[in-house]
Amino acid sequence: MQPHEVRALLAGLREGLAQGEGLALATIVGVSGSAYRREGTKMLIRADGSYTCMLSGGCLEPEIVEAARGVVASGKTLLTRYNLDEEVTWGLGIGCGGAVEVYIEKVQPDAVMDRWWEVLERGEPALLVTPLEPSLGRWMISAKAEVGGLEDPALEAQVRERAKGLLEQLQPQPLTHTFHLSDGRSVRVFIDVSLPPSELVVFGAGHDAIPLSQMAVNLGFRVRIVDMRTQFALPSRFPGAEVHLLRPEQFPTLPLNERSLVVVMNHNLLIDQSTLEFVLRTPAAYIGLLGPRARFEKILKSLAQEGRPLREEQIRRVRNPIGLAIGAESPEEVAMAILAEILALQRGFAGGFLSGHQGRIHIPNRPELAGR
């Protein structure tokens, strides 16, 4: 799920629990063929039939609501499969031609789930392990703590090994995997993922940074704006973002990590040069420099003349010009192009048109780019 969906889901959960409503949680745990949403997408359903978030384009939701009402009444979980062929069910999931498996459960007091909601609220990296067969337990795993566990020792050992690998990835995706029990039987287990939101750090608080910041906030990024000009570095200009009034020599006080995405757009050659020197010393996952390639070449030439040339591997880290090639002109269009490139790279996609694409559109076509 996207960060803004997580926020909406948690708000709906808090409201429903405070009012003592019967609630159900529906989660996509499997996708075959093409589907509107991917594994891990969630929907919160209330007893009155209203819901928060969606699992499809709008046509799957009525069936989910009816199934969820039965789950709330019985207290028993339900794993059900929905065919997305529009010739079978008109309009369901816009006729994607695939199928989704949905796990529906009643929301009730539970130590594992209570901790999972806390983890989602804080944006902490963690995994929620849910066997898709009853009576095998449930397990929340994070770097700080573990809550619950699985009933079968062999299953728990296999899941632990898999979980370790997932937590070490920069962008792990929810998945359903088949494991084996002590008696040799197989069981499918859904491993959900909680990640802290990626942060977009924008160096430069000019007019064109405003739509970039706002779009990123709306997409769920943590946004930080950095500028040395008091008349530009104003929180009122960047609602939802953190604003830092810093000179280049103060940049080292700004921590950047492997989940940091940097856009350099100071509109000043010397400040951009200082900014690039700083961010290239950090593990930032993305470094983009606004402006034409000739401008970047000027910065490279200046650094070389000053005896601080960038190494080839550093030059390759800088994306310039930035953004997908959509012919963007206005600040809003440029912002959209930049964020589209960032999302594509984070998820392992090369960008480009979808028209004519065969198969699932959510399978990365450039997995080697993921996280860059």
Side-chain angles (χ1 to χ4, degrees), residues 276-333:
L276 280 180
E277 286 190 282
F278 163 66
V279 297
L280 284 169
R281 294 194 296 267
T282 74
Y286 174 95
I287 299 172
L289 174 65
L290 187 69
R293 193 69 182 182
R295 189 172 182 275
F296 184 31
E297 297 290 345
K298 286 184 180 180
I299 291 176
L300 295 177
K301 183 178 180 180
S302 175
L303 286 170
Q305 290 174 341
E306 294 172 15
R308 303 191 308 278
L310 294 184
R311 300 186 304 275
E312 187 60 36
E313 62 269 22
Q314 290 179 306
I315 295 173
R316 286 197 299 268
R317 289 185 66 193
V318 180
R319 299 193 67 83
N320 169 263
I322 48 174
L324 295 189
I326 60 172
E329 296 183 0
S330 69
E332 292 77 12
E333 292 174 349

Side-chain angles (χ1 to χ4, degrees), residues 345-359:
L345 292 172
Q346 276 191 309
R347 298 171 184 180
F349 286 82
F353 297 114
L354 284 173
S355 179
H357 181 82
Q358 299 292 328

Side-chain angles (χ1 to χ4, degrees), residues 224-236:
R224 295 196 280 172
I225 307 294
V226 184
D227 205 300
M228 61 186 289
R229 299 167 295 177
T230 55
Q231 69 271 33
F232 289 95
L234 298 171
S236 60

Side-chain angles (χ1 to χ4, degrees), residues 9 12-13 16-17 20-27 41-53 55 61 63-78 102-108 113 117 138:
L9 188 80
L13 182 69
L17 291 176
E21 296 183 62
L23 301 172
L25 182 70
T27 304
T41 304
K42 295 176 180 59
M43 172 180 167
L44 183 71
I45 305 100
R46 303 173 187 83
D48 64 2
S50 61
Y51 51 85
T52 300
C53 299
L55 301 185
E61 281 63 27
E63 295 197 28
I64 294 291
V65 166
E66 289 306 309
R69 282 174 163 166
V71 167
V72 170
S74 68
K76 297 181 180 179
T77 60
L78 174 67
V102 180
Y103 185 80
I104 308 175
E105 58 188 305
K106 183 177 181 179
V107 176
Q108 46 197 342
M113 290 305 293
W117 302 131
R138 203 168 202 176

Side-chain angles (χ1 to χ4, degrees), residues 185-225:
R185 289 184 296 126
S186 297
V187 61
R188 296 170 68 229
V189 176
F190 179 64
I191 303 179
D192 208 347
V193 180
S194 168
L195 290 175
S198 297
E199 67 167 9
L200 179 68
V201 185
V202 181
F203 287 86
H207 177 69
D208 53 353
I210 294 174
L212 178 61
S213 173
Q214 193 57 60
M215 288 183 193
V217 168
N218 291 341
L219 287 172
F221 289 89
R222 175 194 179 193
V223 180
R224 295 196 280 172
I225 307 294

